[in-house]
Each structure stands twice: as C-alpha cells, then as structure tokens.
Amino acid sequence: MSTGLLESPLRARRDGGHKLLMPYVTGGITPGWTGYLRAFAAAGADAIELGLPFSDPTLDGATIQEASDAALARGATAHGILAEVAELRLDVPLVASTYYNLVLRDGPAEFCRALRRAGVAGLIVPDLPLDEAGELADAAAATGVDLVLLASPATPQRRLDEIARRSRGFVYAVSVMGTTGERAALAEPAAALTERIKQGSDRPVLLGFGISTPEQAVEATRRADGVVIGTAIMRRILDGAAPDDVGAYLTGLRRALDQECDETRWPATPDTRRGTAP
C-alpha cells in the first residue's frame, strides 16, 4: 500500500537522517491561535498535532484538559477550527486529534471529508478501540486521511504488531500508562515499547506523553523516530506565551535533535574537537 499525505513526508525526513518533531496545540485556545501553527512550522516542526477540544478528554492530563475547557469557553468548535485551518497555507502536515464522540456526531465519512477539505492529513482518536476502528479506518482511507493508532507499554506483542500494521502516518507510542503531562524523566518502558513496535514494522514511530525538555527529546529519539510535545507547549500558552515565545522553545528542541543526529553521523574526533579538521 502506498504511503499517504502524512506518512510520505515523515518517512522522507526520517530516511534522510532526521529526527521528527511534532508539537501540539489545542485549536481555538486564544484569539489568533493559528499564529501558533505558523510559529511551529517556522521552528522546524515536521508535523503539527491539532487538538479539537472535547469536554471529557479522558486521556489528557490537567493541562490539556484546562486548554480544552478554555477553548470551549471561547466558543471553539471542531467545524470552526477546521474553517480557520482551511484558510492557512502551511507546508507542514496537520494531524487532528480528538475523541470519538466528535467523530460520531458527524459520522466517520463526513468527519473525514471535513478534515480533508480543511487540508488535514492525519487523525488521532485516542479512545477508539482497535477492534472497533474498521469503519473510521475505511472512511479515513477513502478520503486520504492517515488514521494514526496508539500503542502503550502494556500492549501485548501480537496486538502491537497489528497496531503497527494498521496504523497510517506513524505509530503513536505512549510512553507511560496514564494521561498526558510533563514528567521529570522519561519512563523506562518507553524505550522497550519503541523497540517492540519496530520489530514488526518499518513505519515511523513517534513517542509522546511526558516529553518536555531537549534532553528528554534527545533521549527519546535514540530509539524512536521522533517525539510529540504537547503539555509543555500548552502550559506555556496557558501562562500567556505568544506564538514567538513557543516558537523559540521549539527551536531549542529542533536544534537539540539536529545536533544529536549530526553527532551520530559524524562523531567528533580529537581534531574536530580542537577545530582543526575541515
């Protein structure tokens, strides 16, 4: 099967020796919120996760729940957010993420058509059980949207292989058994989960949940192909950070990932460390 509008660019970047960076923003969080999308693209994002706010986001921690509540209080709706996105001309793929109730409200086929009309390339629905994903997967495929599936550290290997096979765009590896949120250290099972997914699939693997610092991002991408950064961004936005402020934070993450790739490909020698090599 050919790769889609999300997976193709992610594979190209990964196969070119780069680590993938996917920041998250809750749609409608502030007036002029689309400025964050432009800032993310300018900072070197490989894809952007666009949260469509929902009143009961069971997989999200306190920060993203607060962001969803704030966006809903401003009157944000999925259709309104997509209408704003449709006006943008970004050269970075967008990945919508939301809960299945919003998909059911329009029906999977119409929901996916609305995503494509807005230029969205991928979809994440974290509360969609794998065994019930068939209708949405078919609707997404019919409209050219890559339906991304999630895997957790507790997922048995046989099911993990099926998730990797049926996921499109990339496989979203959840680093911990819990909700989103910043953490002091990367959970130990995250590396093992990434290795297990890669055993049976060449699809890109992005690790999310709990990654917020350049050091954590570099550590995560020593096994994974990339990282998803959500809560750390939304905490800054809720505290009043402007798009340029968040862009500067992402630029630091991008620089750390690129530097790690460069050092892996061209390890420093005594001469280069002294600055005498070309």
Side-chain angles (χ1 to χ4, degrees):
M1 177 179 290
S2 61
T3 55
L5 297 174
L6 173 62
E7 188 162 332
S8 291
L10 294 185
R11 278 183 177 270
R13 283 280 292 170
R14 181 199 62 180
D15 296 347
H18 299 278
K19 295 298 183 181
L20 306 173
L21 175 62
M22 190 169 87
Y24 165 96
V25 67
T26 300
I29 181 67
T30 63
W33 67 273
T34 54
Y36 292 105
L37 300 179
R38 294 189 178 91
F40 293 0
D46 296 294
I48 299 172
E49 183 179 356
L50 170 61
L52 302 178
F54 178 59
S55 57
D56 299 297
T58 52
L59 200 64
D60 290 317
T63 300
I64 293 183
Q65 286 195 27
E66 183 181 349
S68 293
D69 290 344
L72 292 171
R74 290 191 60 252
T77 65
H79 289 291
I81 291 167
L82 294 178
E84 290 188 80
V85 167
E87 300 295 323
L88 299 177
R89 293 292 183 268
L90 293 175
D91 58 0
V92 175
L94 290 176
V95 186
S97 66
T98 194
Y99 290 83
Y100 201 59
N101 272 22
L102 291 187
V103 179
L104 279 177
R105 191 169 57 189
D106 288 349
E110 178 50 34
F111 187 82
C112 291
R113 283 194 291 267
L115 294 180
R116 281 306 303 138
R117 286 195 296 269
V120 174
L123 173 62
I124 301 169
V125 184
D127 62 341
L128 175 65
L130 176 65
D131 298 334
E132 300 175 17
E135 183 180 8
L136 181 56
D138 291 344
T143 52
V145 172
D146 282 345
L147 180 63
V148 178
L149 301 179
L150 286 79
S152 81
T155 305
Q157 188 62 46
R158 179 176 298 180
R159 194 173 181 84
L160 205 58
D161 292 342
E162 185 177 359
I163 290 170
R165 180 179 62 80
R166 294 176 59 183
S167 188
R168 296 290 178 264
F170 63 93
V171 180
Y172 194 137
V174 176
S175 68
V176 294
M177 296 298 296
T179 60
T180 60
E182 294 177 271
R183 291 172 173 82
L186 194 62
E188 181 62 29
L193 172 62
T194 303
E195 294 292 339
R196 292 171 56 213
I197 296 171
K198 285 177 168 287
Q199 283 179 17
S201 173
D202 184 46
R203 207 174 302 284
V205 178
L206 272 65
L207 192 63
F209 287 37
I211 299 168
S212 59
T213 68
E215 293 77 14
Q216 290 173 340
V218 167
E219 180 182 354
T221 54
R222 286 177 181 147
R223 303 289 182 86
D225 297 310
V227 289
V228 183
I229 311 292
T231 298
I233 289 172
M234 296 315 302
R235 179 174 53 77
R236 284 167 168 79
I237 294 174
L238 289 169
D239 289 345
D244 287 349
D245 300 323
V246 184
Y249 162 69
L250 288 174
T251 297
L253 287 163
R254 176 79 273 165
R255 186 181 302 119
L257 293 175
D258 291 346
Q259 183 176 350
E260 175 70 9
C261 289
D262 289 345
E263 291 178 355
T264 301
R265 283 180 288 184
W266 299 294
T269 65
D271 283 343
T272 57
R273 282 196 292 269
R274 288 195 297 271
T276 57

